[in-house]
Amino acid sequence: MVLFPLYSASIKELLKKIKTGIAHFLSHLDYFGVCSEPVIKDNVVVVYEVLEEMLDNGFPLATESNILKELIKPPTILRTVVNTITGSTNVGDQLPTGQLSVVPWRRTGVKYTNNEAYFDVIEEIDAIIDKSGSTITAEIQGVIDACVKLTGMPDLTLSFMNPRLLDDVSFHPCVRFKRWESERILSFIPPDGNFRLLSYHVSAQNLVAIPVYVKHSISFRDSSSLGRFEITVGPKQTMGKTIEGVMVTSQMPKGVLNMSLAPSQGTHTFDPVTKMLSWDVGKINPQKLPSLKGTMSLQAGASKPDENPTINLQFKIQQLAISGLKVNRLDMYGEKYKPFKGIKYMTKAGKFQVRT
């Protein structure tokens, strides 16, 4: 009798993980826009049809977003209404043209009035900083996302100023791996539309610059029902770029009943039930660093907490790849027109933790 609830709980946990995994994968396919559990429930038939095309006897078969969108049409309000009235489905009538070519990720006969190719270099930094400000561990997870809308069958090459920075690189199937191995140049015939060109990892700690610092003074006293709390956030190694979207959160000890704080900028909240402190800082002005100061009301008679709370940071920096990665040039062959080209960089915080 005891085993059944445990078994039931494990099944529920497994189903939850499956739902999360499907949502994560479908969001990469850019099939439903923002992909969540309610969206999957509303489009469960389409999800089933997509998964059926993606897998052949349990093995991955068609995973390219462009091919799948030709096989199974993305859901729209109009298409849903028509399907309900006529009893038809989202399954396409014809086999995708790309499936029959040597470049199955790109459909044939692509035409655009405006030819453009844009690349986003997005890096996420994970770090743990000790209370003295030294880096315990730091690494960067990076991706290059592309939006390519080019007529015909263009052949692109993308070169970097410092390609040796990249480690543990994972490529889209369109990339010619042998040329990357020999010349460290990305050579590829791109899919049509949005796709992830590559993902990479930078784990050498001496190559990971920490873009922000936190000065903190958090104190508890055994004999007092009050504690002091003070933190200041500032920029560090940002190459003159502005840090924005800064959010500071901290899980306070159970003995903290309430907090009376005054921010120099932004807004803060403290939940006395969950003991979660949140401070929405916004943009950091280097000339006037944001700070949060005040007192903590502690439980009477409670002993001093064993350890100080940790501080978690979220932030983003536009037009900066914190690893130092830079695109040197983007060239196109095989077509005579000149496309619009653009490169954007962004750094954001992943799991960024400061110990106090």
Side-chain angles (χ1 to χ4, degrees):
M1 294 296 291
V2 178
L3 290 175
F4 182 76
L6 292 174
Y7 177 75
S8 177
S10 64
I11 291 293
K12 286 180 181 177
E13 188 64 29
L14 178 61
L15 289 173
K16 186 179 178 182
K17 287 182 179 178
I18 291 172
K19 285 179 185 176
T20 305
I22 291 173
H24 183 68
F25 191 77
L26 290 174
S27 65
H28 277 300
L29 291 178
D30 191 30
Y31 221 87
F32 303 107
V34 178
C35 197
S36 60
E37 187 174 332
V39 173
I40 292 176
K41 286 180 178 178
D42 291 341
N43 299 280
V44 66
V45 174
V46 179
V47 171
Y48 180 82
E49 290 169 343
V50 170
L51 292 175
E52 195 173 38
E53 293 295 341
M54 289 174 62
L55 300 173
D56 180 21
N57 198 27
F59 292 94
L61 176 63
T63 57
E64 182 56 50
S65 176
N66 298 297
I67 298 297
L68 286 168
K69 284 177 181 177
E70 287 190 65
L71 286 167
I72 310 295
K73 303 297 181 185
T76 62
I77 296 173
L78 178 60
R79 192 169 286 136
T80 303
V81 172
V82 172
N83 290 349
T84 305
I85 296 171
T86 62
S88 56
T89 67
N90 286 32
V91 179
D93 298 327
Q94 296 178 336
L95 188 69
T97 53
Q99 288 285 69
L100 305 175
S101 73
V102 292
V103 281
W105 52 83
R106 186 175 180 84
R107 60 190 176 93
T108 57
V110 182
K111 290 184 179 179
Y112 287 102
T113 306
N114 295 321
N115 293 283
E116 51 195 22
Y118 300 114
F119 294 86
D120 292 340
V121 181
I122 303 169
E123 295 190 340
E124 193 171 273
I125 179 169
D126 300 329
I128 299 176
I129 313 298
D130 69 12
K131 60 183 179 181
S132 65
S134 302
T135 304
I136 298 174
T137 179
E139 60 182 24
I140 295 168
Q141 309 289 344
V143 298
I144 298 181
D145 287 335
C147 178
V148 177
K149 296 180 179 179
L150 299 174
T151 301
M153 195 68 71
D155 200 325
L156 304 181
T157 60
L158 188 70
S159 61
F160 302 98
M161 294 181 70
N162 39 10
R164 301 289 171 184
L165 285 172
L166 304 181
D167 187 22
D168 191 20
V169 187
S170 175
F171 300 101
H172 188 279
C174 69
V175 175
R176 299 179 179 99
F177 184 63
K178 284 189 177 179
R179 187 160 183 195
W180 169 260
E181 275 194 311
S182 60
E183 302 176 47
R184 283 295 188 265
I185 290 176
L186 293 175
S187 174
F188 58 97
I189 296 174
D192 180 42
N194 298 305
F195 66 99
R196 178 154 293 175
L197 182 61
L198 65 84
S199 59
Y200 59 92
H201 182 216
V202 179
S203 57
Q205 203 148 302
N206 59 336
L207 296 177
V208 180
I210 305 299
V212 297
Y213 69 87
V214 178
K215 287 183 179 179
H216 49 82
S217 176
I218 303 173
S219 59
F220 302 94
R221 295 181 182 176
D222 286 321
S223 57
S224 175
S225 60
L226 289 177
R228 292 289 305 168
F229 184 94
E230 181 178 344
I231 57 173
T232 302
V233 185
K236 177 184 177 185
Q237 301 184 67
T238 61
M239 309 290 288
K241 305 296 182 182
T242 303
I243 303 175
E244 53 190 35
V246 180
M247 173 69 79
V248 179
T249 58
S250 183
Q251 182 67 55
M252 304 305 292
K254 292 181 180 179
V256 177
L257 298 177
N258 212 335
M259 303 184 75
S260 177
L261 304 172
S264 64
Q265 76 173 62
T267 57
H268 81 285
T269 58
F270 176 72
D271 190 332
V273 178
T274 61
K275 312 298 181 186
M276 179 61 72
L277 170 66
S278 299
W279 178 26
D280 187 352
V281 181
K283 191 181 293 185
I284 293 181
N285 179 5
Q287 309 303 322
K288 189 180 179 182
L289 298 179
S291 62
L292 183 65
K293 303 178 182 179
T295 58
M296 298 176 284
S297 300
L298 309 177
Q299 196 170 351
S303 59
K304 180 181 176 181
D306 295 331
E307 56 185 27
N308 279 357
T310 56
I311 297 169
N312 299 295
L313 267 78
Q314 290 293 321
F315 57 83
K316 59 183 178 181
I317 309 170
Q318 301 287 354
Q319 294 304 321
L320 174 70
I322 199 67
S323 66
L325 182 70
K326 286 187 178 180
V327 173
N328 183 31
R329 59 183 297 163
L330 172 66
D331 297 308
M332 186 184 76
Y333 305 94
E335 299 291 342
K336 294 181 179 180
Y337 57 84
K338 289 186 177 181
F340 296 102
K341 298 180 283 187
I343 309 288
K344 275 179 28 177
Y345 300 90
M346 188 176 77
T347 296
K348 59 182 180 178
K351 295 177 181 176
F352 198 98
Q353 186 182 92
V354 178
R355 296 177 179 173
T356 63

